[in-house]
């Protein structure tokens, strides 16, 4: 869910064509002019002779507003709903034509983030189930990176440098919140999916709609996409129809109203059928709403398309030169890494080594979320000085501050001799499980008194005494806003001695305490 949007995501799992969720999907597609696409598959660690099997396809549909004959504007705001298609449960031939129609429908703008690879894997997955030739194109399409480049004041038509921004970075810069990618490499073939996986998958597609809406609002404000409206029409075009379709007045609104009424009639007379499909000339196609006028002009100016060539549909052979390693050498390497995964060295907080007896950790960028969890249970956990540190910089920081380096990067284990074995590779993917793993591996003693005793923002300690409301208001001036609803309550405030962040024992605090009591199994 978007932290700035109080409405939770509407997520529907589609695992059967006979389910109400599938009916809801087909109905939503008829009302959508904007659909964001994403796909998930089980990661493959070694080169394979075939593509991975896509396990989940996400479609985030932005539903068009309903118009009434008596109104010039839509009577309800744009809404969105996200569908997760379980491709391991649904017979793929039953949804192949519907998805193909969506991918090529001129009335639906498709959004994606570097979606070509997803399309290649998706096409391979459907071909393997007899849906030949799979999928070979998506149009009209807009890569969300192009929208981001426009928002960053890139000149249209100027050569844009190679895409380097991740989707998480784009969301942080454009939407103001960080998109966690820790579940990207989880096992998407395992069923049932966890609630965390469902939320992650839905958010990956939904955030594309959010970024596009900001992009479209900026384009509308600048008026950039009205430059083509005065082009003369070819002499053989039916001008009467052209005026109805392009004139931005009540005529176009009436057309959309009549179309919506026609759709309602189709639904009323075909309510016994789960798929909202019409048959024209012996071919099946989705019956969709005409694309919105402003959206159509965005498509004309910024729209792209993905076209797959035959060479794209064949896995590429590895181009690495040199002799192939023997299986014996590979086994030796795997055994070595397996041995390094465990904890080997003495704890650097050992009193006999001159330390203060308190465990201290350095979490690299791959487990930064774990650092906040460790701080919440009272453990000293730092993060790198730089956003993209080199291995040398991590090692220097860990040695300087006498910390154990926590990572998920197997390559860092090569430097364990420099760190005197003060390095541990975290095996778990989820933050709660990572926290339990570290507690058990290092035999840390966690008590309820330690919970929320450190600043989760900077790792600092709190001042020794609580602040009154008046003191907290004074400390927060020009720095932090305290909600007015707290002034009439007898609430205790605490302040970090390092970054001066204020905390108070409200509902969020008590929920967090209970969460870590459960995660650390303190009740047991």
């Amino acid at each position: 869910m978007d932290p700035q949007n109080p409405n939770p995501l509407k997520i529907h799992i589609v695992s059967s064509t006979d389910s109400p969720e599938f009916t809801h999907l087909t109905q939503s597609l008829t009302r959508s002019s904007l659909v964001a696409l994403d796909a998930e598959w089980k990661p493959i660690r070694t080169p394979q002779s075939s593509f991975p099997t896509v396990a989940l396809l996400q479609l985030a549909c932005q539903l068009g507003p309903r118009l009434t004959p008596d109104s010039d504007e839509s009577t309800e705001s744009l809404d969105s709903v996200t569908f997760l298609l379980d491709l391991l449960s649904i017979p793929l031939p039953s949804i192949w034509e519907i998805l193909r129609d969506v991918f090529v429908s001129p009335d639906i703008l498709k959004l994606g983030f570097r979606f070509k690879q997803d399309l290649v894997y998706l096409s391979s997955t459907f071909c393997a189930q007899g849906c030949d030739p799979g999928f070979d194109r998506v149009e009209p399409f807009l890569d969300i990176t192009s929208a981001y480049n426009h928002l960053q004041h890139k000149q249209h038509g100027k050569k844009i440098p190679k895409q380097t921004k991740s989707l998480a970075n784009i969301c942080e810069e454009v939407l103001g919140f960080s998109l966690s990618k820790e579940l990207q490499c989880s096992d998407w073939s395992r069923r049932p999916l966890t609630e965390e996986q469902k939320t992650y998958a839905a958010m990956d597609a939904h955030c594309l709609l959010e970024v596009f809406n900001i992009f479209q609002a900026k384009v509308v404000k600048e008026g950039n996409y009205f430059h083509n409206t005065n082009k003369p029409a070819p002499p053989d075009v039916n001008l009467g129809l052209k005026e109805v379709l392009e004139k931005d007045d009540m005529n176009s609104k009436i057309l959309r109203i009549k179309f919506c009424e026609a759709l309602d009639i189709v639904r009323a007379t075909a309510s016994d059928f789960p798929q909202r499909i019409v048959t024209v000339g012996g071919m099946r196609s989705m019956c969709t709403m005409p694309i919105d006028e402003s959206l159509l002009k965005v498509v004309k100016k910024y729209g792209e398309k993905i076209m797959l060539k035959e060479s794209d549909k064949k896995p590429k052979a590895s181009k690495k030169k040199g002799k192939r390693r023997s299986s014996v050498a590979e086994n030796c390497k795997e055994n070595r890494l397996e041995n390094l995964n465990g904890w080997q060295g003495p704890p650097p907080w050992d009193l006999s080594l001159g330390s203060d007896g308190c465990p201290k950790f350095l979490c690299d960028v791959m487990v930064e979320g774990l650092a906040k969890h460790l701080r919440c249970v009272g453990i000293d956990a730092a993060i790198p000085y730089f956003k993209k540190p080199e291995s040398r910089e991590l090692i220097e920081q860990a040695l300087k501050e006498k910390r154990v380096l926590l990572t998920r990067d197997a390559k860092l284990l090569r430097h364990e001799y420099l760190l005197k074995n003060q390095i541990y590779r975290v095996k778990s993917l989820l933050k709660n499980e990572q926290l339990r793993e570290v507690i058990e591996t290092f035999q840390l003693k966690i008590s309820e008194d330690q919970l929320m005793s450190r600043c989760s923002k900077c790792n600092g300690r709190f001042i020794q005494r609580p602040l009154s409301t008046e003191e907290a208001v004074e400390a927060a001036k020009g720095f932090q806003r305290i909600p007015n609803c707290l002034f009439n309550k007898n609430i205790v405030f605490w302040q970090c001695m390092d970054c001066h962040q204020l905390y108070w024992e409200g509902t969020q605090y008590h929920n967090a305490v209970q969460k870590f009591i459960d995660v650390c199994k303190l009740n047991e």
Side-chain angles (χ1 to χ4, degrees), residues 51 120 123-124 133-136 308-315:
F51 291 121
V120 169
S123 181
S124 171
F135 307 106
D136 59 0
L308 297 186
K309 298 177 291 186
E310 283 303 315
S311 58
D312 293 325
K313 298 183 180 183
K314 299 175 183 178

Side-chain angles (χ1 to χ4, degrees), residues 356-519:
D356 58 4
C358 296
K360 296 193 295 185
F361 297 97
L362 172 62
C363 298
D364 77 351
V365 292
M366 299 185 76
V367 289
E368 274 194 24
L370 172 61
K372 290 188 177 182
H373 273 45
L374 286 168
R375 293 168 184 174
C376 287
V377 299
I379 301 297
D380 188 340
I383 58 175
Y385 299 141
F386 310 103
K387 284 189 175 182
K388 295 182 179 179
E390 297 181 1
S391 300
R392 173 181 53 81
E393 295 167 333
L394 283 172
I395 292 169
E396 289 177 355
Q397 183 178 350
L399 289 173
K400 179 182 178 181
E401 300 177 7
K402 293 184 178 181
R403 296 180 182 274
V404 175
L405 178 58
L406 301 179
T407 183
R408 280 188 52 80
D409 186 358
K411 294 179 181 178
L412 277 176
L413 298 178
R414 302 171 186 168
H415 307 292
E416 46 90 23
Y417 68 96
L418 293 174
L419 281 166
K420 300 177 183 177
N421 295 323
Q422 304 301 306
I423 183 171
Y424 176 73
R425 184 176 180 227
V426 180
K427 304 177 187 66
S428 305
L429 284 171
L430 303 180
K431 291 191 284 289
N432 289 348
E433 295 175 5
Q434 290 175 346
L435 177 60
R436 277 194 291 264
E437 180 183 338
V438 170
I439 290 173
E440 292 169 3
T441 301
F442 294 91
Q443 299 179 355
L444 305 178
K445 305 297 181 184
I446 307 295
S447 67
E448 195 169 336
D449 293 337
Q450 290 177 251
L451 301 183
M452 314 309 290
S453 61
R454 280 189 172 273
C455 177
S456 61
K457 183 179 179 181
C458 78
N459 195 39
R461 287 282 191 180
F462 294 132
I463 58 175
Q464 295 301 308
R465 66 176 185 84
L467 301 178
S468 65
T469 303
E470 292 75 15
E471 291 173 324
V473 171
E474 185 64 29
K477 279 185 178 178
F479 170 71
Q480 185 179 354
R481 179 180 175 275
I482 298 178
N484 295 332
C485 61
L486 300 180
F487 293 151
N488 297 327
K489 298 180 180 179
N490 187 22
I491 289 181
V492 175
F493 291 84
W494 298 88
Q495 188 174 31
C496 173
M497 291 187 290
D498 293 338
C499 71
H500 308 299
Q501 179 78 18
L502 285 169
Y503 296 83
W504 52 87
E505 298 182 4
T507 304
Q508 189 174 357
Y509 166 84
H510 293 295
N511 290 342
V513 168
Q514 187 57 53
K515 169 187 172 180
F516 288 108
I517 287 175
D518 297 337
V519 171

Side-chain angles (χ1 to χ4, degrees), residues 155-183:
Q155 292 181 355
H156 188 65
K158 183 179 178 181
K159 186 176 180 180
I160 296 175
K162 186 177 180 180
Q163 299 171 354
T164 55
K165 285 287 184 181
S166 68
L167 183 57
N169 288 337
I170 290 176
C171 286
E172 191 162 4
E173 291 187 26
V174 178
L175 303 179
F177 68 87
S178 179
L179 186 68
S180 172
K181 303 298 289 184
E182 66 180 68
L183 289 175

Side-chain angles (χ1 to χ4, degrees), residues 77-240:
S77 60
L78 292 175
D79 197 5
S80 65
V81 60
T82 304
F83 297 93
L84 308 182
L85 272 66
D86 186 352
L87 301 186
L88 301 183
S89 301
I90 302 177
L92 300 190
S94 66
I95 60 172
W96 172 49
E97 292 188 16
I98 298 174
L99 292 178
R100 184 190 60 187
D101 290 343
V102 170
F103 288 171
V104 300
S105 171
D107 293 326
I108 301 176
L109 173 60
K110 277 71 67 175
L111 305 176
F113 179 75
R114 303 177 191 174
F115 190 70
K116 183 175 181 179
Q117 183 187 48
D118 300 51
L119 185 64
V120 169
Y121 293 173
L122 201 62
S123 181
S124 171
T125 300
F126 275 77
C127 284
Q129 296 293 323
C131 303
D132 199 53
F135 307 106
D136 59 0
R137 63 192 175 104
V138 175
E139 64 174 328
F141 175 78
L142 179 67
D143 193 303
I144 213 66
T145 307
S146 300
Y148 169 79
N149 289 334
H150 180 84
L151 291 171
Q152 297 303 308
H153 309 290
K154 305 267 182 175
Q155 292 181 355
H156 188 65
K158 183 179 178 181
K159 186 176 180 180
I160 296 175
K162 186 177 180 180
Q163 299 171 354
T164 55
K165 285 287 184 181
S166 68
L167 183 57
N169 288 337
I170 290 176
C171 286
E172 191 162 4
E173 291 187 26
V174 178
L175 303 179
F177 68 87
S178 179
L179 186 68
S180 172
K181 303 298 289 184
E182 66 180 68
L183 289 175
Q184 185 177 28
C185 295
S186 61
D187 187 353
W188 292 96
S189 65
R190 183 177 297 177
R191 294 295 182 271
L193 295 172
T194 65
E195 291 302 317
E196 290 84 0
Q197 284 179 307
K198 295 175 186 176
T199 302
Y200 167 88
M203 197 62 208
D204 245 17
H206 176 77
C207 69
L208 302 178
L209 297 179
E210 299 286 341
V211 174
F212 176 81
N213 287 334
I214 293 176
F215 159 73
Q216 186 182 17
K218 181 173 182 179
V219 171
V220 170
K221 185 177 180 180
E222 293 173 349
N224 283 348
Y225 61 81
F226 288 106
H227 71 289
N228 286 328
T229 55
N230 295 324
K231 276 191 175 182
D236 58 341
V237 172
N238 184 329
L239 295 179

